[in-house]
Amino acid sequence: MSWQLGPEDLPALALGATLLGTGGGGDPHIGRLLVEQAMREHGPVTILDPDDLDDDLLIIPTAQMGAPTVVLERIPAGPEPLAALRRLEDHRGRRAAATMPIECGGINSMIPLLVGATGGLPVVDADGMGRAFPELQMETFSVYGVPGSPLAIADELGHTVLIDTGEDNRQLEWLARGVTIRLGGVAYIAEYAMTGRQVKDTAVPRTLSLALSVGRAILDARRDHRDPFAALADAFSRTIYTHIRELFHGKVVDVERRTTEGFARGRARIRSADGDGELEISFQNENLVAIRDEIQLAVVPDLICILEEETAEPITTERLRYGDRVRVIGVSTPALMRTPEALAVFGPRCFGLDREFVPVEDGPGGEIAGTADARMEEWEQTPVR
């Protein structure tokens, strides 16, 4: 079932997408402002449920690529992602029926909406990461056999580049990263062109709806003076993200951050309020692993989210600062992101971590209490309107 997304939905969507970005994905605030302006000019965007797609439709995902730290200083002009889409359409000799996020976290939840509003295209309610990841091959599309090539890349000066590496998605990432660096550290891409059948077979479903419901849960809890963390537990319990746990509670005492090789890399240390323990989080754009006293509490691909301790406002890696008082939560990823094939593409060792994946629900930490009666094995929730 299709539904309409309008400007009034964007604050909640941006908030939920920031949380799903697990510290990375780029701050969606700038993207939200661009989408809001485009919607006020062109109207709302139609969101398509993936199950309703005809098998032979052409879907072309669009996204921003680069280091989140650069985006804070080099904001998009607006036309870049649509230019990348048009370049790829011209190369293929066929127009896309819709666009779609490659990741549901951060600014890349907004880029396809910008393309949809300015290009008159619907947007599919699904993505290829179920969160945010730093590299292009780290997508369920790639895991389950969709080639990312050819990829079109564009910047705000009108430059476009087409990259074709056949079925080698790792080589595609390497070349596209190099072009992005030379375009100033951030650029806009269209890639993983696929059929409607491939979307249904390989994408994480209804993640725009997820971001919207997560954002609304936090905002509604704040308005009603309820616990936003319990509201989050309720919101996730009705999805294929079946567990949410509190991993740590304390104050940020150190942040080491650098922009290198097209990524924001570093680590953060958080000290407990009573001073008897510290949590260290390592990140590459996104939070990758959380370790307390040499004990692994959560690791990629599960979500590790740093939230302000009272409001549950997500804090991205580029905005994390000394003195922030935070709660760190872990969220389980869907089953299709935990298969051996998936872990071979975006598991811990793919980030240079000498660690095994242990599901967050099987490690230390406490379940955050909610009020939902049961958890669903399949997400059959009606899309949020």
Side-chain angles (χ1 to χ4, degrees), residues 136-338:
L136 297 183
Q137 81 278 6
M138 294 176 172
E139 305 195 28
T140 55
F141 310 145
S142 178
V143 169
Y144 300 110
V146 180
S149 293
L151 172 149
I153 190 165
D155 70 1
E156 76 280 7
L157 299 177
H159 303 129
T160 60
V161 178
L162 195 72
I163 302 174
D164 193 344
T165 60
E167 297 186 358
D168 191 340
N169 293 335
R170 291 181 182 273
Q171 181 72 356
L172 178 68
E173 154 66 29
W174 187 79
L175 290 172
R177 186 72 50 182
V179 172
T180 298
I181 291 171
R182 283 155 184 81
L183 291 177
V186 64
Y188 299 82
I189 57 174
E191 56 161 358
Y192 284 99
M194 69 186 85
T195 64
R197 179 72 260 170
Q198 288 173 312
V199 171
K200 288 181 273 192
D201 289 343
T202 69
V204 184
R206 303 177 188 91
T207 45
L208 284 172
S209 292
L210 172 64
L212 190 55
S213 65
V214 165
R216 283 177 175 169
I218 295 173
L219 293 175
D220 289 349
R222 291 178 188 170
R223 182 198 62 211
D224 298 338
H225 305 289
R226 293 183 287 110
D227 178 5
F229 291 89
L232 278 176
D234 281 350
F236 276 110
S237 72
R238 294 185 291 272
T239 76
I240 53 177
Y241 295 70
T242 54
H243 291 81
I244 175 171
R245 304 184 67 123
E246 180 167 309
L247 305 178
F248 203 76
H249 187 182
K251 183 178 79 170
V252 177
V253 295
D254 184 51
V255 181
E256 173 195 326
R257 181 172 45 230
R258 62 195 183 279
T259 302
T260 178
E261 298 177 321
F263 301 105
R265 301 178 187 267
R267 62 176 185 162
R269 287 191 299 116
I270 304 167
R271 184 170 300 155
S272 63
D274 56 17
D276 68 348
E278 282 193 357
L279 183 76
E280 181 172 297
I281 296 177
S282 299
F283 56 84
Q284 179 185 335
N285 287 7
E286 290 77 39
N287 299 319
L288 302 179
V289 61
I291 301 171
R292 176 177 181 170
D293 303 325
E294 301 184 356
I295 298 173
Q296 176 181 298
L297 303 187
V299 70
V300 67
D302 283 346
L303 283 66
I304 301 168
C305 310
I306 303 176
L307 311 179
E308 200 278 328
E309 67 173 354
E310 297 292 339
T311 65
E313 185 75 22
I315 305 174
T316 58
T317 54
E318 70 269 23
R319 294 188 183 276
L320 193 63
R321 296 290 184 269
Y322 172 85
D324 286 342
R325 298 185 181 275
V326 301
R327 292 172 71 175
V328 182
I329 64 170
V331 182
S332 61
T333 42
L336 83 166
M337 298 179 64
R338 293 176 162 193

Side-chain angles (χ1 to χ4, degrees), residues 108-128:
N108 276 332
S109 64
M110 296 291 164
I111 295 300
L113 299 176
L114 179 61
V115 172
T118 57
L121 285 172
V123 177
V124 179
D125 190 3
D127 79 291

